[in-house]
Amino acid sequence: MIRKERLKVMAVQNNELTIKELKDSIQYQLKHPYVAKFIPEPVINEDKIVFLTSIVSGVDRLSEEQKRKYVIATMLVQIALDTHELVTVSSDGENEELRKSRQLTVLAGDYYSGLYYYLLSKIGDVSMIQTLATAIKDINEYKMKLYNDQLNIGQMVEYLRDIESLLIRRVAEFLGRTSILNTAADWLVATRLRSENVHFRKREVAPILDLIMKHPSYRMTGGQALSTIEKFVEKYMTLVEHSLSTWPSRFANVKDYLNQHLYHSIMMNHHAVEEG
């Protein structure tokens, strides 16, 4: 575990912005003692911090403080979107504690969204606010299509790929730093699908696998759904591995990070196969 954390810091050690520093700043922004009593602590996706940091680091027109706020603001939006996904459907027989937890989850997501507006307003960056606001709208539209349209599994995974990477894509396009976007999208959808498999095996919430199993056209068993998802994981991880060799030298740090985690991912997959 110590080695894993060390690698995550090493990935951007030559940049002014470090993963640990940014993660600590994000966690500080998210702290709210009352909300913490009722909902889980938000998960901060460190892979997305790595991609965002690599994108903003090469933009000379931005000060270090602007770069820092861009990354933090974008991650606050991501966490707000993720938090809203945790909202459960109400039921007639629920107790007061469950009702309050659901309401606070909604409010927490709104609170995290408000933090990014406040952060960017302090540097007067209306254009970046508009960029993220448009991305939020588009992500929510993708989510509606993912859960409501009659899609085949390949289309579902492509929508998920867009959902996982759209915030990073819009920031990269806004800053004119799009070299690594496709690789970032492939990596993020693969790791999201892998996490779905892990959650399912632990009998935790796995919404994409649940969606596949309940889809009227498939009606897969859990084992069939796991096998299908793992094929997509392998597909996208292979695409990442092949594309890394074409990256420009300025992305050497994030390239090293992904190569290290590709190896870790392969080892995890071998262990999963051995365990059946």
Side-chain angles (χ1 to χ4, degrees):
M1 185 65 181
I2 294 174
R3 179 175 178 273
K4 183 178 179 183
E5 290 301 319
R6 181 172 62 84
L7 287 171
K8 291 184 176 182
V9 175
M10 285 175 60
V12 288
Q13 63 183 357
N14 294 327
N15 296 330
E16 292 297 325
L17 304 175
T18 67
I19 300 303
K20 184 180 186 307
E21 179 185 32
L22 289 164
K23 187 174 180 181
D24 288 346
S25 296
I26 294 166
Q27 287 175 327
Y28 178 79
Q29 295 278 346
L30 296 174
K31 282 184 179 178
H32 195 296
Y34 183 72
V35 172
K37 292 180 181 179
F38 296 94
I39 66 173
E41 183 179 346
V43 175
I44 300 173
N45 188 314
E46 294 184 10
D47 290 350
K48 293 183 179 181
I49 298 178
V50 169
F51 286 123
L52 286 167
T53 302
S54 296
I55 289 166
V56 303
S57 292
V59 184
D60 294 334
R61 64 183 171 84
L62 297 179
S63 68
E64 290 304 314
E65 183 61 15
Q66 284 177 306
K67 294 173 184 177
R68 178 178 170 276
K69 287 182 176 179
Y70 274 21
V71 174
I72 294 173
T74 306
M75 289 304 300
L76 288 173
V77 172
Q78 184 65 65
I79 291 163
L81 291 165
D82 294 344
T83 301
H84 280 147
E85 283 194 355
L86 299 175
V87 179
T88 58
V89 178
S90 62
S91 60
D92 294 335
E94 71 180 9
N95 59 37
E96 178 64 19
E97 185 175 348
L98 285 175
R99 184 182 66 82
K100 181 179 287 188
S101 175
R102 190 178 67 255
Q103 292 174 340
L104 280 172
T105 302
V106 175
L107 292 174
D110 294 341
Y111 171 66
Y112 302 149
S113 292
L115 287 175
Y116 104 81
Y117 282 109
Y118 173 71
L119 193 65
L120 292 178
S121 69
K122 289 175 70 176
I123 58 174
D125 204 325
V126 176
S127 296
M128 186 60 170
I129 291 174
Q130 292 174 335
T131 296
L132 293 178
T134 302
I136 293 169
K137 177 182 73 70
D138 292 342
I139 288 169
N140 285 329
E141 288 178 359
Y142 278 129
K143 286 182 179 179
M144 289 176 63
K145 290 177 180 178
L146 179 66
Y147 287 100
N148 296 324
D149 289 3
Q150 294 298 308
L151 307 171
N152 62 45
I153 294 178
Q155 291 170 325
M156 288 168 60
V157 173
E158 280 298 305
Y159 270 114
L160 185 65
R161 182 177 181 271
D162 289 332
I163 290 167
E164 288 297 314
S165 61
L166 191 58
L167 276 175
I168 292 172
R169 177 173 294 277
R170 292 297 166 78
V171 172
E173 290 170 347
F174 176 71
L175 296 174
R177 297 269 292 177
T178 59
S179 303
I180 64 172
L181 281 182
N182 285 333
T183 306
D186 291 339
W187 176 268
L188 292 171
V189 72
T191 54
R192 170 63 192 273
L193 292 173
R194 177 62 57 76
S195 72
E196 287 274 324
N197 279 4
V198 171
H199 289 313
F200 184 81
R201 291 176 188 277
K202 293 181 178 180
R203 301 184 184 277
E204 297 172 348
V205 177
I208 302 303
L209 275 166
D210 189 54
L211 184 63
I212 291 172
M213 288 186 290
K214 291 181 178 178
H215 195 290
S217 299
Y218 310 121
R219 296 292 182 183
M220 290 185 179
T221 64
Q224 290 170 330
L226 284 170
S227 178
T228 299
I229 288 299
E230 192 56 41
K231 289 177 182 177
F232 281 102
V233 172
E234 292 173 3
K235 168 190 170 181
Y236 286 110
M237 284 297 188
T238 299
L239 288 173
V240 169
E241 190 172 12
H242 289 165
S243 66
L244 287 180
S245 62
T246 68
W247 276 20
S249 59
R250 66 179 180 272
F251 293 113
N253 289 326
V254 68
K255 181 178 178 178
D256 290 343
Y257 173 90
L258 294 181
N259 276 323
Q260 291 282 359
H261 284 69
L262 273 169
Y263 175 78
H264 179 70
S265 176
I266 291 169
M267 290 301 98
M268 283 182 59
N269 188 50
H270 287 333
H271 290 314
V273 171
E274 289 171 2
E275 292 172 2

